[in-house]
Amino acid sequence: MLKEFKDFAMKGNLVDIAVGFVMGAAFNKVVASFTGGIVSPLIGLIFNADFKDLKYIINEGTMNDAGEKVGEVAVMYGDFLTNVIDFIIVAFVMFMIVKGVNKMKKKEEPAPEAPKGPTTEELLVEIRDALKK
């Protein structure tokens, strides 16, 4: 069972998937920092606020003794939009990578056609002629 697992784990496709997963996770961090550090502040200029902190307050909270707001109910749409932008960037880059890899793959030549044998009618004619003799 251990040998089977080792054979399974060391197959090329599984290792490729693992490498792709690690690279994708690292790439996601790069995109998140790009969106959070560059895109969000630029969009925040439009709204005159930090883009990630944009929210729609449903129920105002109250200030406690420590000066913190408690009991606030809000829809954090700025954070959601930041994550949507992250997803769109990652999805577009992955699309471009897959498109590039598919273009680089060698196009397979069609398999040569099998030689055609005699048709059923030709075989029946041969059998008939052989029986006549």
Side-chain angles (χ1 to χ4, degrees):
M1 186 170 184
L2 186 60
K3 184 181 181 313
E4 273 185 77
F5 177 73
K6 182 181 173 189
D7 291 342
F8 170 75
M10 297 313 283
K11 281 185 180 175
N13 290 344
L14 188 63
V15 174
D16 292 344
I17 290 171
V19 169
F21 181 78
V22 170
M23 288 178 65
F27 180 69
N28 192 29
K29 285 186 177 185
V30 170
V31 170
S33 68
F34 170 74
T35 307
I38 296 173
V39 175
S40 289
L42 293 176
I43 295 175
L45 287 174
I46 297 170
F47 293 104
N48 229 4
D50 186 11
F51 187 61
K52 271 193 135 177
D53 292 335
L54 293 176
K55 59 186 172 182
Y56 175 74
I57 299 173
I58 297 172
N59 188 10
E60 286 284 337
T62 58
M63 298 297 259
N64 64 7
D65 295 335
E68 300 170 341
K69 195 178 270 193
V70 258
E72 180 180 80
V73 179
V75 176
M76 306 293 286
Y77 68 90
D79 193 38
F80 173 74
L81 291 176
T82 301
N83 289 328
V84 168
I85 292 169
D86 287 348
F87 172 76
I88 290 170
I89 292 170
V90 170
F92 178 73
V93 170
M94 299 303 346
F95 169 74
M96 295 305 288
I97 289 172
V98 168
K99 188 174 179 177
V101 167
N102 286 341
K103 191 177 262 188
M104 287 189 331
K105 279 186 183 177
K106 209 165 89 174
K107 293 187 180 183
E108 295 180 20
E109 295 179 19
E113 293 183 25
K116 293 185 179 179
T119 64
T120 307
E121 293 164 353
E122 293 172 340
L123 289 173
L124 288 174
V125 169
E126 285 182 29
I127 293 170
R128 184 193 67 198
D129 292 344
L131 289 174
K132 281 184 181 178
K133 291 182 183 177

